[in-house]
Amino acid sequence: MQHFPIFLDTRGKRIVLSGGGEAALAKLRLLTKSEARLEVFAADPHDDLRRLAAEGRIALTERALAEGDLRGAVLFYAADEDADEDARTAAIAEAEGALVNIVDNLADSRFITPAIVDRDPVTVAIGTEGAAPVLARAIKRELEERLPPVLGLLARVGKAFRPMAEKLPFGRARREFWADYYFENGPRAVEAQGADGAQAALDGLLEKHLSRAARPGHVDFVGAGPGDAELLTLKARAALDKADVVIHDRLISGEILELARREALMVEAGKTGFGPSTRQDDINALIVEHARGGAHVVRLKSGDPTVFGRLDEEIEAVEAAGVDWRIVPGITAASAAIAGLGQSQTRRGRNSQVRFLTGHDTKGFADHDWRALARPGEVAAIYMGKRAARFLQGRLLMHGADPATPVSFVENASRPDQRIVAARLADMARVLDDAALTGPVLTFYGIAPRKAAAMAGDYEQEMAL
Ligand code: SAH
C-alpha cells in the first residue's frame, strides 16, 4: 500500500488550487463538498470559477500563483494542465509546506484524491494507486447502487439515536437493529415520509427489536426431506415461514430454501462427507448464538434430522444454553430411495427388519454386524456408502453373503435428476465406479428395482455377473 488512506479534517483549513480551466473545475466539484477555505489562483479563470467566487464558495485571485501564496495551506492542487506551470507551482507549494497533488501526474504527486461515494457523513473512498481507474469507477458504481442515497440522512439521524439503541443487548441484537434501519425500514420510511420518516422508523424499530431481544429464542430442528420440495411436511413449511434465521446443510435444494421467510437470514453450515465442511462445534455455536439473541432458528437438515445428522450434539449445545427446541421430522433418504425403486422396505416372508447403516463414521469406513447382514433376505439402507462400496462388498462376501444379492444405488432420490443403478453384490463396486454418480447416493442392499420402475426407463441396469 504505497498510498495510505486517511480522512483529513478540512474544517476552516486552506486548500489552494492553481488553474482556471476544466481540470480546476473538476477538482473543485469534489473540494466544494469539504468545509475547507478554498482559494483559487488563475490568471484567466473560466466563468464558472467567477460564479463560484461570486457565490462565496471559493476565494478567487485573478493572477498566477506566486511565492508566499501558500503559507499555511494544507493541500495544494496544481491544475493548470501545463506541465511546466504545474512544476513551478508545485515547487512553491513544496517549499511552503503544503501537500501537493498534480492533476494527471501521479508520479510527482504527494497524495492522490480517491474516487468517492458520498453519503455524507458516510464517505467511501476508493483507490487503486492509479493502477486501474476503470476498476475504481466500476466499484464506485456498484457501491452507489448498493448504498441507498438516503444513507447519509439516515446516518445523521441515526447518530443522535445511538444512546437509545444501547437499550438493546450488545452484539447481534444491536447489529440487526442497525442493519434493519439502514437497509430495510429506514430507506422505506424516508421514501414514504421524508426526513421525519427516519426518526419514526428508529422509534418503531427499537420497540420491535427490544421485544425480539426479550423473547427467548427457539430452535426447530427441521427435516427438509430428500430434495423434492413437495416432500416437506406442513410443519416444516410453517417453521420455515416463521424463521428469523435458517441454518442449513449444503445438501438442501434451492427450491426448499426459497420457502423460507423472505426476511430470514440464511446461513449455510456446510457438511459434506469428505470435502470442506464447517466444524460441528462451530455449527453448534452458531445455532446457540442466534437463538440466544432471541431469534427463531430453523436448523434445516436434509432428510430426517434424526438420521445420521449429528443431531444429539446440536441438541445438547442448545440445551446447555437453556434454549427451547423441538424436532420436526422429515422424510429420510431411504424412504425416498425405496419409493424410487418401486419397492417396499419390508416384506412378509423376506425381511422383518431393515437396517440403516452409514458407510463411514468419524474414524473411517464403519464396521457393522456383517455376519447378520450376510444372511439371505436381509435389507439395509446404506447412507454415505459411495466411498465405502468396495469395503462393504468385501466384508459381506467374506461373511458368506450370496454374490447374487441385489444392490441398488439411488442418486438424488426424489429430485428431477434422480438416477437408479442396479447391481449385484458381486459387482457393486465396479458398477458404481462405472456409473460415476456425483450426487448424494443411497445404497439399498438386498433390494432390486421393481420391473415397473425399470420400465420407466430412468435407470441403468447392470446385471452382468
Ligand atoms: N439426515 C439425512 C441423511 C444425512 S447423511 C436423511 O435422513 O436422509 C447424508 C447421506 O444421506 C448422503 O451421503 C446420502 O447417502 C443420503 N442422502 C441424502 N439425500 C439424498 C438423496 N436425495 N438421494 C440419495 N441419497 C441421499
Side-chain angles (χ1 to χ4, degrees):
M1 200 186 284
Q2 186 190 336
H3 292 87
F4 184 74
I6 56 167
F7 286 92
L8 190 70
D9 183 357
T10 57
R11 259 175 318 175
K13 298 285 188 314
R14 284 180 68 210
I15 297 181
V16 179
L17 190 142
S18 173
E22 287 299 336
L25 279 167
K27 279 288 173 254
L28 283 170
R29 267 194 284 280
L30 265 184
L31 287 169
T32 45
K33 291 174 187 278
S34 78
E35 293 172 37
R37 274 167 47 206
L38 301 174
E39 296 175 22
V40 178
F41 289 83
D44 179 19
H46 191 288
D47 279 350
D48 287 354
L49 284 172
R50 290 212 177 88
R51 199 167 306 131
L52 282 172
E55 290 167 3
R57 300 177 65 192
I58 62 171
L60 180 61
T61 307
E62 298 205 20
R63 63 163 168 80
L65 182 108
E67 266 173 43
D69 283 339
L70 281 156
R71 260 177 233 128
V74 289
L75 299 181
F76 173 68
Y77 284 88
D80 282 284
E81 301 168 84
D82 170 331
D84 292 340
E85 179 61 1
D86 284 345
R88 185 187 74 81
T89 59
I92 295 174
E94 287 271 353
E96 296 181 4
L99 272 178
V100 174
N101 175 274
I102 305 176
V103 173
D104 288 335
N105 180 350
L106 180 65
D108 296 328
S109 292
R110 291 281 172 271
F111 73 96
I112 49 183
T113 318
I116 285 173
V117 178
D118 176 17
R119 298 287 186 262
D120 184 44
V122 178
T123 309
V124 185
I126 305 151
T128 61
E129 309 260 10
V134 179
L135 184 59
R137 270 197 297 278
I139 295 172
K140 176 176 151 84
R141 218 171 22 248
E142 186 140 312
L143 286 172
E144 267 169 346
E145 275 167 26
R146 277 250 289 280
L147 303 177
V150 295
L151 199 64
L153 168 66
L154 291 173
R156 278 191 296 279
V157 179
K159 194 171 172 188
F161 200 77
R162 294 200 82 82
M164 292 293 283
E166 277 162 25
K167 283 192 193 160
L168 284 163
F170 180 77
R172 220 176 48 81
R174 228 179 272 178
R175 279 201 306 278
E176 282 185 357
F177 165 78
W178 288 116
D180 203 348
Y181 170 65
Y182 281 116
F183 297 103
E184 302 275 343
N185 268 292
R188 237 180 291 152
V190 172
E191 201 173 299
Q193 304 163 49
D196 292 346
Q199 189 61 49
L202 279 169
D203 296 333
L205 278 176
L206 184 62
E207 211 155 290
K208 167 179 149 192
H209 284 261
L210 276 172
S211 73
R212 180 187 288 183
R215 194 180 67 189
H218 175 88
V219 180
D220 283 335
F221 295 99
V222 175
D228 177 354
E230 288 191 75
L231 292 180
L232 270 178
T233 63
L234 293 175
K235 236 181 198 143
R237 278 210 69 157
L240 281 169
D241 213 37
K242 280 194 304 211
D244 297 312
V245 182
V246 176
I247 302 173
H248 63 90
D249 293 346
R250 208 169 283 170
L251 266 184
I252 312 282
S253 66
E255 193 190 352
I256 287 172
L257 296 178
E258 298 249 313
L259 298 172
R261 196 163 68 95
R262 218 174 54 80
E263 297 80 11
L265 174 70
M266 307 299 286
V267 185
E268 182 188 298
K271 290 223 107 196
T272 48
F274 289 82
S277 51
T278 314
R279 284 180 46 233
Q280 186 63 47
D281 284 348
D282 295 340
I283 297 177
N284 298 350
L286 194 67
I287 299 172
V288 166
E289 192 212 338
H290 282 289
R292 271 212 179 121
H296 178 176
V297 179
V298 165
R299 171 64 174 122
L300 194 59
K301 293 162 100 58
S302 80
D304 183 279
T306 71
V307 178
F308 301 127
R310 301 188 68 173
L311 178 64
D312 290 277
E313 292 162 61
E314 294 178 11
I315 291 178
E316 278 154 26
V318 166
E319 263 198 342
V323 173
D324 191 38
W325 58 274
R326 69 169 177 163
I327 297 173
V328 178
I331 292 186
T332 189
S335 301
I338 200 85
L341 295 170
Q343 290 287 13
S344 165
Q345 296 198 60
T346 57
R347 182 189 174 130
R348 271 167 54 160
R350 181 189 66 199
N351 65 314
S352 57
Q353 60 172 341
V354 180
R355 291 164 211 258
F356 282 19
L357 310 182
T358 174
H360 66 84
D361 55 27
T362 49
K363 292 191 233 50
F365 295 144
D367 243 318
H368 298 287
D369 184 352
W370 304 112
R371 188 174 306 282
L373 262 175
R375 285 193 301 253
E378 287 297 319
V379 170
I382 305 166
Y383 291 72
M384 295 172 277
K386 239 192 317 188
R387 296 208 179 206
R390 198 166 297 280
F391 171 80
L392 286 160
Q393 180 186 35
R395 288 295 140 111
L396 285 161
L397 287 173
M398 197 166 85
H399 287 84
D402 180 353
T405 307
V407 176
S408 303
F409 301 103
V410 185
E411 181 196 35
N412 295 319
S414 87
R415 304 181 189 201
D417 49 358
Q418 168 175 298
R419 271 177 80 195
I420 292 171
V421 177
R424 301 279 185 184
L425 179 60
D427 64 2
M428 66 177 269
R430 187 185 58 74
V431 170
L432 184 63
D433 274 353
D434 290 350
L437 306 179
T438 51
V441 172
L442 200 289
T443 307
F444 251 108
Y445 171 76
I447 299 272
R450 193 187 289 276
K451 265 275 176 324
M455 305 292 278
D458 60 350
Y459 79 96
E460 300 163 17
Q461 191 137 8
E462 285 249 10
M463 294 257 190
L465 262 179

